[in-house]
Amino acid sequence: TATQRSIRLSTSNAIKLAEKNGFKSMAFPLIGAGTGRFKKEKLLEIMQEEILKLSNNIKIVLVIKD
């Protein structure tokens, strides 16, 4: 099961790795929405907070599946 901490770490680690490797953009699924059983609304809030903290030089798209 996903936790707020695991979602934040997964998001921030992926962004840092992408920036380190010179990526200009990336897309994220909602981490933890499937088998992690986290509610989509809360996931969006958590991931957006991490993205806003870290994404200075990279375009990030959140992919939301209904």
Side-chain angles (χ1 to χ4, degrees):
T1 304
T3 64
Q4 280 196 35
R5 183 174 187 276
S6 68
I7 294 163
R8 288 184 191 282
L9 285 173
S10 295
T11 303
S12 64
N13 287 339
I15 292 169
K16 290 173 186 174
L17 185 61
E19 287 183 334
K20 178 181 174 183
N21 286 291
F23 287 28
K24 300 294 182 207
S25 64
M26 66 186 296
F28 271 110
L30 290 182
I31 299 169
T35 59
R37 299 180 185 184
F38 230 83
K39 295 200 184 285
K40 287 183 184 179
E41 296 80 18
K42 188 63 179 173
L43 277 171
L44 276 170
E45 180 184 320
I46 294 167
M47 291 182 73
Q48 286 173 333
E49 288 173 3
E50 291 304 307
I51 289 167
L52 290 173
K53 279 193 238 177
L54 297 169
S55 62
N56 295 325
N57 301 316
I58 189 167
K59 178 183 176 182
I60 299 175
V61 175
L62 287 173
V63 179
I64 304 167
K65 182 181 174 188
D66 289 330

